[in-house]
Amino acid sequence: MKRVIFFLILFVFSLFSVFAGIMIGSVSVSLKDMLNALNGSEDIKSYIILNVRLPRTVAAYLGGATLALSGLLLQTYFRNPLAGPYVLGISSAASFGVALYVLSGIGIGYYGLVGSAMAGSLAAIVLVLIIASRVKSAVTLLIIGLMLGYIFGALERILITFAESEAVHQFVLWTFGSFSGVTCEDLPIIFSVTLLVFSFAVFLAKPLNALLMGEDYAKSMGVNVKLTRVAIVLLSSISAAVITAFAGIIAFIGLATPHITRLIFRTSDHRALIPSVIVCGALITVLCDIFSRTIVAPIELPISVATSLIGAPIVISLILRRKRIS
Amino acid sequence: MEDSEKPKLVWFLIWKGVVYVPRGESYVAKMAEYANANYVFSDLNGTGSAKVTLEDLLLRGSDADVAVYSSYRVKNVSDLLEIDSRLSEIKAVKTGRIYRISEDYWQLGLLHTDVVVKDLAAIYHPDKFKDYKPRFFVKLEK
């Protein structure tokens, strides 16, 4: 019961953070400005609220939630606290896709970037799924995933070596993640993928609990290990792929949020962890997004700076506190 | 020249919603001063460039008379709007006074700063430089 109340409090906080994300920024916004914007006022303030802040804050909310969930699934499945959404090579494959698009001079449009990142990730997902359905153990899959990451990374570096310097510059800028490029038109896509992933993840709670004791134990409990494995890989990779396509590589959220959530809620039951991780991931990412664009405004820090600088001390302090209590 | 006659200039590069602008003591800001323009990010201390938020670009750039996009990979206005459709809110993009740098800007432009400054003056004050065609800047076509 205590957990449910705590969860609800965090959920309300996370909704407040979205509200804060829309209100806080270089242009100070009052409640009246916000109502004006919603009523279709056409000044630049309203435009910024509706077309710059709203999409980036909502995207940070959904993106953070999805990345955190993806990290939780993979950490449990691999029984490795260092696993995260990018461990199966999705981010390297996405960067490779973008590298092909930008460095070969095909174009520079926003949707070209999103599409090429998506295409790269999908290629990696198909590869990883084929491997996941054949290998015997989680460790093999983990190592193969890491190796795939190195291969895509190497291909990307070959492209960089032979590319024009201005194109390389633009490509490098892509690799710093930010939710700033997301527009209102992108939100329905991000929202539907997120919703889909969340609803499937609910069915994984029980098999995940069994997997905490290892694949053999899960098998003896009657869990279809192969099907669960494919489902975990598919859901976590699709999450990582979509968010990476729209926002680039966002460090730390997927890795740290599951730890933070486990430490706060003191549980490893996935029926409680899955919704809590989703809400924590959303809240942390929105706060980090606000932090990164306001702390030295008008200059914007990369969001990964904020996620790491805020997230890492939280994890450290939670871990140390837990030690002291026990 | 009166301050009010100085055109407002915004000079930027945008990539996935993240905007790169020259700082207030950069050569771009200095050249804006020589060519009599008000550079909108002149209060950003330091040289080199800074990463600013899109909302600041739109806020300060919404009434910019002239815009320079510091890349030659954009050929026309629709290319630019493909990179980020929200740039259409910048006045200079609406009125068509948006320029890109030429392909040889980084090689030759920086050697011939006098020409670059003259180009900029012509861009900022077209009425005073009739029949002059900028060498290192290209107007983006609609």
Side-chain angles (χ1 to χ4, degrees):
Chain A
M1 195 58 207
K2 216 170 122 194
R3 254 180 227 145
V4 175
I5 294 170
F6 203 56
F7 171 78
L8 287 176
I9 293 174
L10 273 184
F11 182 64
V12 172
F13 262 126
S14 75
L15 294 181
F16 264 116
S17 74
V18 173
F19 188 66
I22 296 169
M23 301 290 280
I24 303 172
S26 310
V27 200
S28 53
V29 172
S30 65
L31 218 54
K32 203 175 134 222
D33 293 324
M34 197 139 130
L35 290 175
N36 275 345
L38 290 174
N39 283 332
S41 154
E42 288 198 351
D43 60 334
I44 189 74
K45 226 175 190 180
S46 306
Y47 187 86
I48 288 174
I49 295 172
L50 289 182
N51 295 288
V52 181
R53 273 193 214 158
L54 179 77
R56 86 176 283 168
T57 308
V58 174
Y61 190 88
L62 297 173
T66 320
L67 285 177
L69 176 67
S70 166
L72 173 73
L73 296 181
L74 291 174
Q75 281 180 7
T76 303
Y77 174 65
F78 288 124
R79 290 209 292 158
N80 187 328
L82 292 178
Y86 301 137
V87 86
L88 292 174
I90 304 299
S91 60
S92 322
S95 329
F96 175 63
V98 172
L100 263 183
Y101 177 69
V102 176
L103 301 179
S104 59
I106 305 172
I108 43 173
Y110 173 66
Y111 285 103
L113 285 178
V114 172
S116 55
M118 213 45 226
S121 310
L122 283 179
I125 292 174
V126 170
L127 263 178
V128 170
L129 276 182
I130 292 174
I131 295 164
S133 60
R134 296 201 175 164
V135 294
K136 288 245 154 44
S137 81
V139 181
T140 323
L141 179 60
L142 182 59
I143 295 173
I144 292 176
L146 285 174
M147 291 306 120
L148 281 180
Y150 279 110
I151 293 172
F152 283 118
L155 292 176
E156 175 195 315
R157 250 153 256 147
I158 293 175
L159 286 177
I160 290 179
T161 314
F162 290 105
E164 211 185 331
S165 68
E166 188 173 301
V168 172
H169 180 60
Q170 291 182 324
F171 172 70
V172 172
L173 300 186
W174 179 85
T175 59
F176 300 135
S178 168
F179 288 102
S180 179
V182 179
T183 60
C184 285
E185 290 84 60
D186 304 336
L187 289 181
I189 307 171
I190 301 179
F191 185 73
S192 34
V193 172
T194 315
L195 205 65
L196 205 73
V197 171
F198 290 174
S199 26
F200 275 109
V202 173
F203 295 106
L204 282 176
K206 273 191 178 164
L208 280 168
N209 281 344
L211 276 170
L212 283 174
M213 313 296 268
E215 289 196 321
D216 290 335
Y217 174 80
K219 212 177 274 174
S220 74
M221 292 287 288
V223 173
N224 185 339
V225 172
K226 204 167 247 180
L227 185 69
T228 311
R229 181 195 293 157
V230 170
I232 290 175
V233 169
L234 190 64
L235 287 187
S236 55
S237 320
I238 286 183
S239 313
V242 170
I243 304 307
T244 310
F246 284 104
I249 298 165
I250 312 283
F252 204 79
I253 294 291
L255 178 76
T257 312
H259 293 295
I260 295 176
T261 316
R262 272 189 291 256
L263 290 165
I264 295 179
F265 285 87
R266 293 162 191 270
T267 177
S268 51
D269 181 354
H270 285 80
R271 283 170 302 180
L273 269 184
I274 289 176
S276 316
V277 156
I278 289 173
V279 170
C280 283
L283 175 63
I284 296 172
T285 313
V286 171
L287 292 182
C288 288
D289 184 59
I290 297 174
F291 178 84
S292 67
R293 66 190 162 82
T294 52
I295 192 80
V296 281
I299 292 170
E300 179 172 348
L301 293 173
I303 188 168
S304 296
V305 169
T307 52
S308 307
L309 274 185
I310 297 175
I314 295 180
V315 174
I316 293 174
S317 73
L318 283 173
I319 285 180
L320 291 180
R321 256 218 338 250
R322 189 181 58 166
K323 275 264 168 62
R324 209 165 57 215
I325 289 165
S326 64
Chain B
M1 189 178 276
E2 287 293 311
D3 207 46
S4 56
E5 285 176 39
K6 286 187 179 180
K8 252 185 143 179
L9 163 75
V10 58
W11 182 301
F12 69 104
L13 179 76
I14 185 168
W15 198 234
K16 271 205 106 159
V18 180
V19 185
Y20 293 79
V21 298
R23 286 174 181 270
E25 287 148 40
S26 63
Y27 78 95
V28 169
K30 294 235 171 73
M31 288 197 301
E33 213 180 304
Y34 301 151
N36 251 314
N38 276 326
Y39 172 52
V40 298
F41 282 103
S42 57
D43 59 329
L44 280 180
N45 292 332
T47 56
S49 69
K51 225 173 113 175
V52 299
T53 56
L54 179 64
E55 63 177 79
D56 273 292
L57 179 79
L58 294 184
L59 189 68
R60 297 182 185 207
S62 64
D63 58 349
D65 304 294
V66 184
V68 176
Y69 191 73
S70 59
S71 162
Y72 49 81
R73 300 192 78 196
V74 173
K75 301 298 173 207
N76 49 47
V77 174
S78 62
D79 277 359
L80 186 72
L81 295 182
E82 251 175 53
I83 295 181
D84 203 308
S85 55
R86 294 169 287 195
L87 296 176
S88 60
E89 289 302 300
I90 295 174
K91 184 179 155 197
V93 177
K94 283 183 192 151
T95 57
R97 286 181 75 187
I98 167 134
Y99 296 79
R100 66 169 170 90
I101 54 174
S102 66
E103 280 82 356
D104 56 3
Y105 176 82
W106 297 116
Q107 285 81 28
L108 297 176
L110 297 185
L111 276 178
H112 303 281
T113 35
D114 53 327
V115 183
V116 172
V117 173
K118 191 175 177 192
D119 282 0
L120 289 173
I123 290 171
Y124 304 153
H125 310 283
D127 46 319
K128 296 198 170 59
F129 289 85
K130 289 185 180 119
D131 306 323
Y132 177 81
K133 197 172 173 290
R135 165 73 182 77
F136 291 111
F137 296 89
V138 185
K139 198 171 192 166
L140 291 186
E141 279 161 32
K142 283 269 167 182

